[in-house]
Amino acid sequence: QLSVYTTTRSSIGAESNIDLVLNVEDFDIESKFERTVNVSVPKKTRNNGTLYAFVFLHHAGILPWHDGKQVHIVSPLTTYMVPKPEEINLLTGESATQQIEAEKQTNALDEPISHWRSRLTLNVMVEDFVFDGSSLPADVHRYMKMVQLGKTVHYLPILFIDQLSNRVKDLMVINRSTTELPLTVSYDKISLGKLRFWIHMQDAVYSLQQFGFSEKDADEVKGIFVDTNLYFLALTFFVAAFHLLFDFLAFKNDISFWKKKRSMIGMSTKAVLWRCFSTVVIFLFLLDEQTSLLVLIPAGIGAVIELWKVKKALKMTIRWQGLKPKFQFGAYNDSEKKTEEYDAQAMKYLSYLLYPLCIGGAGYSLLNVKYKSWYSWLINSFVNGVYAFGFLFMLPQLFVNYKMKSVAHLPWKAFTYKAFNTFIDDIFAFIITMPTSHRLACFRDDVVFLVYLYQRWLYPVDKSRVNEYGESYDEKLKKKS
């Protein structure tokens, strides 16, 4: 039979100070089940202590510690984490729960407190296997137990607790007033191959935490393995490798394009400024939301590149006079001034729609949505404007393309790599944890790119028009002659 006990000690030798929370008689290792039980929380655990679960597989009718052939495994039911800051209405000061507990006033927000793990996932290895005794793999050996009765050696069942199923989203703060908490105990059989794979994955997650990764970052890695089908997971790794490659190529070509660029003919300066502003705001928003590093790092690199592109677009030079910087801006020629006129014309009409929507959205969220701080509200208001109406800022560049009947001035190599990544992001939007608004923005980018493709088809290649480096094909021939 299967028995689950709880205790505040990491080892037990008798029946004292332990509670039986689940007992499954006539336990069948081939049949999976899931049961939810209420667990009594001792005073020591409520005072920021720890509670352990002891899972026994033993003979029926015998207490586990009296059974010479019992198999057991220990797992903590609590973990220590910094609690998430409570969100309040910034105008009224009302909290989300309307309850301010006494311990929340005594505990600083940056101090880890005890959280309850609401799931306990058990497995028993059911597959027959043969290993050479002198070369038994360490991962299997760690979980194997054998007893010698007379001249016979008995290999006992391999009992395993799946720690990867313990997710941050399932954690509950343990309050001093809480005497009982729910625990969902689930069981399923496991094959030898999956057992070994799961052991290595748990070791990898543990190593990440030892290298300084936070519990949330480790949880993102857990989610990729737990919430995704194994075949789809293999596809995800394959696609992720291409995503990193295209990210690198897009950044490389974007930098190369702007490094060689000598003229802003056909380029919307307003669109460049907006992309810089929106990329920086999105990075600060993802940072505030403590998003996965898989999303945060590329966003940070993109923000740095966009800041550099603004310097190039405005023809800005920085000269230092001692410790004081002096900014100088270059002059535009007649063709560039014509582009700026188209740009300003597009922005004029766009502002009539954009600004009221952004201000109205920020006011609505201040009245109806709860935030951690005023900074959080400000960043959320900016980023909601970026996500909801950001595609409108692509319109000035589309308008400039329409007026000039040309798209040759755009960095098409970088666009191509970014397009591949946009379609890959559509896949990642369902896999990696990210804010809903960021997920929707992935699909919005598809529409924008399709419009650019239509314009590229609409305005075919003309060798007399200016390319992305401010040169035409005719000018190159004159230079050669």
Side-chain angles (χ1 to χ4, degrees):
Q1 63 186 29
L2 179 76
S3 301
V4 181
Y5 294 85
T6 59
T7 177
T8 55
R9 295 182 297 174
S10 58
S11 60
I12 58 174
E15 297 181 51
S16 58
N17 297 322
I18 62 171
D19 291 321
L20 177 66
V21 296
L22 178 65
N23 181 249
V24 182
E25 297 180 350
D26 298 323
F27 174 64
D28 179 12
I29 62 172
E30 295 287 344
S31 303
K32 65 179 182 179
F33 67 82
E34 182 172 292
R35 298 183 189 177
T36 301
V37 294
N38 288 324
V39 178
S40 177
V41 184
K43 185 177 180 181
K44 184 178 179 181
T45 304
R46 297 199 300 268
N47 290 329
N48 221 21
T50 306
L51 191 67
Y52 296 93
F54 279 76
V55 183
F56 288 93
L57 209 56
H58 59 101
H59 284 101
I62 307 176
L63 290 173
W65 37 88
H66 295 156
D67 184 5
K69 291 185 179 180
Q70 58 85 12
V71 180
H72 76 275
I73 195 166
V74 187
S75 176
L77 292 176
T78 57
T79 186
Y80 289 92
M81 276 189 64
V82 176
K84 186 179 179 181
E86 188 176 20
E87 295 179 343
I88 61 171
N89 187 299
L90 297 173
L91 295 178
T92 63
E94 290 183 17
S95 67
T97 60
Q98 291 294 316
Q99 294 177 352
I100 302 176
E101 293 123 356
E103 62 268 23
K104 282 191 178 179
Q105 297 176 353
T106 58
N107 284 327
L109 285 177
D110 57 349
E111 290 182 0
I113 63 172
S114 191
H115 285 63
W116 178 255
R117 287 176 169 167
S118 58
R119 293 194 66 85
L120 183 66
T121 306
L122 310 175
N123 302 111
V124 173
M125 208 283 290
V126 296
E127 191 176 310
D128 292 331
F129 64 92
V130 177
F131 279 116
D132 185 88
S134 59
S135 58
L136 188 66
D139 46 17
V140 179
H141 185 270
R142 193 192 321 172
Y143 288 89
M144 279 189 69
K145 183 181 177 184
M146 54 195 97
V147 293
Q148 186 163 356
L149 299 176
K151 295 182 178 181
T152 307
V153 175
H154 294 267
Y155 294 87
L156 302 180
I158 296 178
L159 183 62
F160 176 72
I161 292 182
D162 180 9
Q163 300 289 357
L164 293 178
S165 61
N166 291 325
R167 303 294 306 282
V168 169
K169 63 183 179 183
D170 298 324
L171 294 179
M172 302 165 61
V173 178
I174 300 177
N175 300 319
R176 291 179 184 175
S177 57
T178 305
T179 56
E180 279 191 347
L181 284 169
L183 176 66
T184 301
V185 181
S186 58
Y187 167 78
D188 198 3
K189 62 184 180 181
I190 192 170
S191 64
L192 176 64
K194 187 174 180 180
L195 171 68
R196 297 186 65 186
F197 178 74
W198 240 230
I199 291 171
H200 286 294
M201 288 304 102
Q202 288 189 173
D203 290 345
V205 171
Y206 176 76
S207 299
L208 287 177
Q209 292 175 299
Q210 297 305 303
F211 277 113
F213 279 73
S214 67
E215 179 85 17
K216 185 171 179 63
D217 289 326
D219 185 69
E220 297 296 339
V221 178
K222 285 183 185 179
I224 292 174
F225 291 105
V226 175
D227 298 340
T228 312
N229 179 279
L230 283 177
Y231 296 106
F232 194 55
L233 181 62
L235 175 64
T236 302
F237 277 118
F238 181 72
V239 170
F242 277 99
H243 192 280
L244 290 173
L245 175 64
F246 291 141
D247 259 338
F248 170 76
L249 292 173
F251 287 144
K252 172 182 173 294
N253 281 278
D254 211 18
I255 292 170
S256 176
F257 166 80
W258 283 93
K259 192 175 180 181
K260 294 178 182 178
K261 192 162 187 62
R262 301 194 302 271
S263 170
M264 283 298 292
I265 298 173
M267 295 296 293
S268 170
T269 307
K270 302 290 191 305
V272 174
L273 289 169
W274 167 253
R275 269 200 305 272
C276 176
F277 171 76
S278 61
T279 308
V280 171
V281 166
I282 287 171
F283 173 70
L284 293 174
F285 170 67
L286 295 175
L287 195 64
D288 185 58
E289 290 288 318
Q290 298 179 335
T291 308
S292 167
L293 290 174
L294 297 171
V295 177
L296 194 60
I297 291 174
I301 296 171
V304 172
I305 293 175
E306 291 299 331
L307 286 167
W308 173 73
K309 283 160 66 174
V310 165
K311 177 178 174 293
K312 292 282 290 183
L314 298 178
K315 300 185 179 182
M316 184 192 302
T317 55
I318 304 173
R319 293 183 180 178
W320 292 89
Q321 296 178 345
L323 296 175
K324 186 180 177 182
K326 185 179 180 182
F327 299 95
Q328 292 182 337
F329 298 92
Y332 291 128
N333 59 35
D334 292 339
S335 298
E336 290 173 322
K337 287 178 182 176
K338 194 67 177 174
T339 302
E340 285 297 308
E341 288 177 15
Y342 297 147
D343 202 12
Q345 187 180 351
M347 282 301 300
K348 177 185 174 182
Y349 299 122
L350 192 60
S351 61
Y352 297 150
L353 173 68
L354 186 69
Y355 298 143
L357 287 173
C358 288
I359 294 170
Y364 176 83
S365 63
L366 183 61
L367 292 171
N368 297 282
V369 183
K370 296 176 176 62
Y371 294 100
K372 293 177 286 187
S373 64
W374 284 98
Y375 170 78
S376 183
W377 166 76
L378 186 65
I379 288 295
N380 272 268
S381 298
F382 277 138
V383 87
N384 285 335
V386 168
Y387 283 138
F389 316 118
F391 71 97
L392 296 176
F393 273 92
M394 299 295 179
L395 299 183
Q397 181 64 64
L398 297 176
F399 184 72
V400 170
N401 295 345
Y402 163 73
K403 296 294 282 186
M404 298 189 71
K405 299 294 186 290
S406 171
V407 292
H409 39 266
L410 298 177
W412 279 102
K413 282 187 180 178
F415 269 9
T416 303
Y417 293 126
K418 286 179 181 178
F420 286 134
N421 268 357
T422 297
F423 298 129
I424 292 172
D425 285 339
D426 296 343
I427 300 173
F428 271 81
F430 297 103
I431 300 173
I432 296 177
T433 302
M434 61 180 71
T436 304
S437 51
H438 192 74
R439 183 173 281 121
L440 292 174
C442 292
F443 299 104
R444 183 203 70 199
D445 292 341
D446 296 347
V447 178
V448 173
F449 183 71
L450 289 174
V451 176
Y452 277 114
L453 283 181
Y454 172 70
Q455 284 195 328
R456 185 170 174 83
W457 170 81
L458 194 62
Y459 310 128
V461 175
D462 178 3
K463 293 184 179 180
S464 65
R465 70 186 180 181
V466 176
N467 68 8
E468 65 266 32
Y469 304 123
E471 298 177 337
S472 70
Y473 182 78
D474 293 340
E475 286 176 1
K476 290 182 179 179
L477 290 178
K478 288 177 184 178
K479 286 181 182 178
K480 287 181 182 179
S481 61

